[in-house]
Amino acid sequence: MAQWSIGVAVVAEPYSVPPRPNWMGDWDGSVAVVGSTTAHSPPLSLRDKGTGYFSPNRSLIDFEVFLTSLETSIRRLASGHVLVLGDFNAKSIAWGSPRTDARGEAVEEWAASVGLCLLNRGSTNTCVRQQGGSIVDLSFATPALAARVRNWRVLEEVETLSDHLYIRFELSRTQDSSRGHVARRLSRFPRWAVARLNRDLLEEAAIIHSWLSPQAPTEEVDVGAGRFRDAITHVCDAAMPRVRGRRPPRKEVYWWSQELADLRAACTRARRSYTRSRRRHRGDGEEDRLLKLAISRAKEEKRQEMLEGLNRDPWGRPYRAVRRAPSLRRLSSPASCEKWLRAFSHNGRNTLPRRWPPWPETTGSTGRIMFRPSGNRR
């Protein structure tokens, strides 16, 4: 840590956790977080504590219970900036393993329900033994923090005197601009007119592309995903036209608030957890009910606020809206218009604005109302 100027390190299965302010261990001392002792590094502060190591010899049910307790600790942190690092003893093709085991499926569902982003890149083994290597050391982060992670890598050339290799990455103070640019570019997915799909061309394009671009015997996960995305794009372009227009972004309704946004996020997480991991679901739709009640309450509050605003200023937005209504244009005489406006102004308690034009006059035999321009108003 001193040689590489490391700020924070996570140590799995240390010999001991010394009683120092820059060391924080779990309950049984199997995992520790070590902070730098330099003057520019901030001190460590303990927010939560639990069991940090899970034996690979225990059952899958116990492992799922362990993940649930870990999820509770993550959700307890209100900041939303969380890193989850460790040896999960789980294999999945999502982080470069050649196959997916039961623990790998459990970790995938757990990370998706919590909303964590996988930081692992490539397919380099993190654990190297005489009988072979494996990728079991995983790094996760919340989306806000994952956008600030740079240069995640496994250090193969450094001796660790252990089966596991060092994993190193940088965490910037601000979001990586290049990563944000890539995310914005990838978020604009192409759209095709499926109704105009030519199935014969689709099949022919897929066959030709498979001939011209054979799959490599061994390739990294990111490379294979990019190659597959390009193949799908080319095949779709050959079989149907793209939809060029883009829908305008939806405007935020006036009664929306940060409280509703937080409740909606909690409801989405609960629904995703129920869908993807039903066997670990314990909820009863409480988040969904709270969201609906909060939305109804917000609508009613904003409705009352709007009505009070109309009563305070009847000659503002209400009058302009009514003047555009067809019923006002069908009034046949100044007397009926005068009677209607007096009723609109709360029985004559509100006076007409001084700068508005004189009352309209009827012309011709149709009885239509003609307004004279006066000043900046018409």
Side-chain angles (χ1 to χ4, degrees):
M1 291 177 63
Q3 179 181 354
W4 295 342
S5 300
I6 300 297
V8 178
V10 177
V11 184
E13 297 183 89
Y15 292 112
S16 63
V17 179
R20 298 177 184 175
N22 64 320
W23 280 74
M24 297 290 176
D26 65 340
W27 286 119
D28 54 5
S30 60
V31 178
V33 178
V34 188
S36 176
T37 57
T38 58
H40 64 274
S41 297
L44 295 179
S45 60
L46 184 63
R47 299 291 300 276
D48 198 1
K49 195 173 184 178
T51 302
Y53 177 77
F54 188 86
S55 173
N57 298 323
R58 299 176 62 181
S59 65
L60 178 62
I61 298 178
D62 294 338
F63 182 64
E64 292 178 346
V65 173
F66 169 75
L67 293 178
T68 302
S69 64
L70 183 58
E71 176 181 352
T72 303
S73 300
I74 295 174
R75 297 190 186 281
R76 193 179 296 122
L77 300 176
S79 63
H81 295 77
V82 181
L83 282 172
V84 181
L85 315 172
D87 177 11
F88 283 77
N89 288 304
K91 300 176 182 179
S92 172
I93 59 176
W95 45 82
S97 299
R99 62 181 181 87
T100 301
D101 57 8
R103 288 201 178 195
E105 293 180 356
V107 173
E108 288 181 19
E109 296 176 357
W110 168 80
S113 63
V114 181
L116 296 177
C117 299
L118 180 67
L119 303 179
N120 288 51
R121 295 293 181 267
S123 56
T124 303
N125 292 327
T126 63
C127 180
V128 180
R129 297 176 179 175
Q130 292 183 353
Q131 58 270 31
S134 59
I135 304 176
V136 293
D137 300 286
L138 308 178
S139 306
F140 295 95
T142 52
L145 201 61
R148 295 163 50 184
V149 174
R150 304 178 181 177
N151 200 15
W152 188 99
R153 60 200 184 277
V154 180
L155 304 182
E156 300 180 88
E157 69 281 359
V158 181
E159 177 58 51
T160 64
L161 301 180
S162 171
D163 296 336
H164 294 262
L165 302 180
Y166 287 137
I167 296 176
R168 182 178 175 182
F169 59 88
E170 287 80 33
L171 186 64
S172 62
R173 294 182 179 271
T174 58
Q175 181 175 346
D176 191 350
S177 59
S178 62
R179 183 186 295 268
H181 174 72
V182 172
R184 289 191 298 270
R185 176 173 56 83
L186 293 180
S187 63
R188 296 192 290 268
F189 294 104
R191 297 171 56 232
W192 288 272
V194 183
R196 301 170 61 182
L197 171 64
N198 189 323
R199 298 184 178 275
D200 294 335
L201 286 178
L202 181 69
E203 184 177 357
E204 293 176 4
I207 295 175
I208 294 175
H209 196 278
S210 63
W211 289 346
L212 299 179
S213 302
Q215 182 179 1
T218 57
E219 61 181 2
E220 294 186 353
V221 176
D222 295 339
V223 176
R227 183 181 57 80
F228 183 72
R229 181 183 64 247
D230 295 339
I232 292 295
T233 302
H234 294 156
V235 171
C236 292
D237 286 337
M240 51 188 162
R242 289 196 181 191
V243 177
R244 300 298 179 183
R246 297 186 62 188
R247 297 180 180 178
R250 297 179 61 183
K251 294 183 179 180
E252 187 178 272
V253 291
Y254 69 95
W255 44 263
W256 195 255
S257 62
Q258 184 60 38
E259 179 185 0
L260 294 176
D262 297 338
L263 288 174
R264 184 178 185 274
C267 181
T268 303
R269 288 195 300 267
R271 187 180 296 111
R272 185 185 300 116
S273 177
Y274 177 74
T275 303
R276 300 188 178 183
S277 183
R278 293 186 179 182
R279 64 176 180 269
R280 294 190 295 112
H281 182 70
R282 300 290 190 272
D284 56 352
E286 182 68 16
E287 292 82 0
D288 196 6
R289 187 180 65 85
L290 292 177
L291 175 62
K292 292 180 179 178
L293 290 177
I295 290 177
S296 301
R297 193 182 306 114
K299 287 183 177 180
E300 182 63 25
E301 292 177 356
K302 292 301 180 179
R303 178 178 175 274
Q304 295 296 332
E305 181 180 336
M306 180 183 66
L307 293 178
E308 293 176 1
L310 298 183
N311 293 332
R312 288 193 300 268
D313 185 19
W315 300 107
R317 285 182 55 190
Y319 185 82
R320 290 195 299 271
V322 173
R323 284 188 64 187
R324 292 192 295 267
S327 58
L328 181 60
R329 293 196 294 270
R330 290 196 298 266
L331 294 175
S332 59
S333 66
S336 60
C337 187
E338 175 77 19
K339 180 181 179 181
W340 189 88
L341 288 176
R342 291 306 175 189
F344 176 74
S345 60
H346 299 280
N347 297 325
R349 288 179 294 177
N350 295 323
T351 59
L352 296 175
R354 297 178 181 178
R355 295 187 57 191
W356 282 15
W359 285 110
E361 299 177 356
T362 58
T363 59
S365 60
T366 59
R368 292 182 178 274
I369 298 176
M370 305 294 294
F371 287 92
R372 297 174 182 173
S374 174
N376 294 329
R377 298 202 180 241
R378 291 185 179 271

